[in-house]
Amino acid sequence: PFEEILAIKDIDQRVQAMRYGDVDKFFEHTKAEMVSASEISSAKLYFIPREPSCVFIQDAYFARYECPSTGRIYMSGIEPEVGKKKNIDEAMAWKHNMIVGDYRKMVLVGNEA
């Protein structure tokens, strides 16, 4: 259960435990708010405020996305300054160390294949 996973003090152990949890249940458990959904992919950006959850030491943003080759669902933490822009395509571009225009082109070309 996510209550137990989030209670793990060692961050490396917590990250490993989260790899085996259901991403959508994590968002339900933390009462995350979806703040952006991509028009070109299945990616979504979620926001979890520091208060009242106290799960995180600061406001947190996470991207939820699907691997196009395996269909597996992943989540990834997003730098808060990027997340505050509330644009999932920009967050995914940041994640891949790209500018948003190049990220969008990459996704659109990938969807054509």
Side-chain angles (χ1 to χ4, degrees):
F2 275 101
E3 296 87 12
E4 292 178 23
I5 292 173
L6 293 173
I8 297 171
K9 298 286 185 210
D10 184 294
I11 187 71
D12 293 324
Q13 291 176 356
R14 188 176 340 134
V15 168
Q16 291 305 313
M18 288 182 72
R19 290 181 63 206
Y20 299 100
D22 182 314
V23 170
D24 292 319
K25 287 189 182 189
F26 168 78
F27 290 130
E28 286 176 30
H29 175 76
T30 58
K31 296 179 176 56
E33 173 191 357
M34 188 193 46
V35 295
S36 178
S38 178
E39 295 179 7
I40 60 172
S41 74
S42 64
K44 296 176 182 172
L45 182 66
Y46 286 86
F47 169 67
I48 303 170
R50 180 189 178 282
E51 296 289 342
S53 74
C54 294
V55 172
F56 301 104
I57 61 170
Q58 64 182 15
D59 290 348
Y61 292 87
F62 290 91
R64 178 203 183 275
Y65 54 96
E66 181 179 338
C67 173
S69 61
T70 66
R72 184 170 174 192
I73 302 297
Y74 290 95
M75 72 177 222
S76 183
I78 301 298
E79 170 66 38
E81 290 303 313
V82 175
K84 286 178 186 176
K85 297 175 184 178
K86 298 185 179 180
N87 182 306
I88 184 58
D89 292 336
E90 192 161 331
M92 292 299 287
W94 169 84
K95 177 181 170 27
H96 294 291
N97 200 25
M98 306 172 91
I99 61 171
V100 71
D102 289 346
Y103 169 77
R104 286 183 177 142
K105 287 177 192 171
M106 178 187 74
V107 171
L108 290 172
V109 168
N111 286 338
E112 292 174 357

